[in-house]
Amino acid sequence: QVQLQESGPGLVKPSETLSLSCTVSGGSISIYYWSWIRQSPGKGLEWIGFIDHNENTNYNPSLKSRVIISVDTSKNQFSLKLNSVTAADTAVYFCARGCCGADYYFDYWGQGTLVTVSS
Amino acid sequence: DIQMTQSPSSLSASVGDRVTITCQASQDINNYVNWYQQKPGKAPKLLIYDASNLETGVPSRFSGSGYGTDFTLTISSLQPEDIATYYCQQYDHLPPSITFGQGTRLEIK
């Protein structure tokens, strides 16, 4: 059974960089795609971006200038960096596995981690 | 960018009712629509992929249909455990991007 677990600071100061990691267990990170998705309090879901094991990335155009997603296959982990954060970046951040074929859907999710941007 | 318009934004129904939620895409997206259920404090759960395929383990009262721009999630007989928020999601190849609908909050009457 594939499991994903987010980790990282729960509080980030405005203008600083939000950094999160997602550890994948029960399966190899060297196949499929790996995404970050966020959900602001009381709001809907927003896709941030995805990466594959060859480090090919695609980002939401609205966040592209501030986002970097990377992968470490030796640790079965992938990571998110979002720079120059503001209060609007306060959200629950989920990591998820993307699958399959011509479509792209999220079949496994982490439990989510709340990141608050505040001084 | 492709936009997904989901309706209704909220819905109240009785146990046993047939419930329908719709998503309309701003352009043709073949069958690249997926549906999720999210309960409070939890991650979303995949229900339907490729518009009409039931994810393993999901009860058969859930079904999906549609192609092109109009898509539907149906619950054939609403159960108390179905109370949640439902989201559609689309995948666009060129350039690769993913968009969610605004969500439908489903409540029991």
Side-chain angles (χ1 to χ4, degrees):
Chain A
Q1 176 78 347
V2 175
Q3 293 185 314
L4 292 85
Q5 179 66 58
E6 304 90 351
S7 59
L11 181 63
V12 181
K13 290 183 167 55
S15 79
E16 295 190 346
T17 297
L18 179 159
S19 296
L20 295 173
S21 292
C22 181
T23 301
V24 179
S25 58
S28 173
I29 204 168
S30 295
I31 46 178
Y32 301 106
Y33 294 83
W34 304 93
S35 266
W36 289 97
I37 297 146
R38 70 180 184 179
Q39 186 170 37
S40 301
K43 302 293 185 184
L45 299 163
E46 180 180 32
W47 170 69
I48 298 170
F50 67 71
I51 191 167
D52 69 17
H53 64 282
N54 289 320
E55 303 189 54
N56 298 306
T57 55
N58 280 288
Y59 300 127
N60 186 324
S62 68
L63 297 169
K64 187 174 183 177
S65 63
R66 299 195 290 133
V67 173
I68 297 174
I69 297 176
S70 58
V71 64
D72 186 337
T73 54
S74 67
K75 294 182 179 178
N76 238 34
Q77 270 184 357
F78 63 107
S79 299
L80 168 71
K81 291 190 186 299
L82 179 66
N83 61 38
S84 305
V85 297
T86 69
D89 295 309
T90 293
V92 175
Y93 286 76
F94 296 99
C95 58
R97 188 179 87 168
C99 186
C100 287
D103 195 359
Y104 190 107
Y105 51 86
F106 305 104
D107 56 352
Y108 289 96
W109 295 68
Q111 64 187 20
T113 187
L114 174 63
V115 179
T116 301
V117 179
S118 175
S119 55
Chain B
D1 289 1
I2 295 176
Q3 305 302 313
M4 297 295 283
T5 303
Q6 186 173 341
S7 62
S9 57
S10 64
L11 175 56
S12 182
S14 300
V15 173
D17 281 356
R18 183 180 183 88
V19 170
T20 299
I21 299 168
T22 65
C23 261
Q24 185 171 59
S26 57
Q27 63 190 70
D28 190 327
I29 52 173
N30 295 306
N31 66 332
Y32 302 148
V33 165
N34 313 294
W35 292 93
Y36 301 85
Q37 175 194 67
Q38 187 180 30
K39 297 186 177 181
K42 300 292 187 182
K45 172 187 173 183
L46 179 66
L47 299 176
I48 302 286
Y49 63 94
D50 295 348
S52 61
N53 293 306
L54 193 67
E55 173 71 343
T56 302
V58 173
S60 59
R61 63 181 179 273
F62 291 92
S63 64
S65 64
Y67 191 89
T69 60
D70 295 301
F71 301 88
T72 300
L73 173 70
T74 300
I75 307 173
S76 60
S77 178
L78 185 66
Q79 300 301 303
E81 60 267 31
D82 300 335
I83 298 316
T85 300
Y86 292 83
Y87 293 93
C88 60
Q89 172 248 314
Q90 69 82 26
Y91 173 60
D92 186 13
H93 287 85
L94 296 171
S97 69
I98 293 163
T99 309
F100 290 91
Q102 302 92 325
T104 296
R105 179 174 290 182
L106 178 57
E107 298 174 338
I108 293 282
K109 230 183 244 183

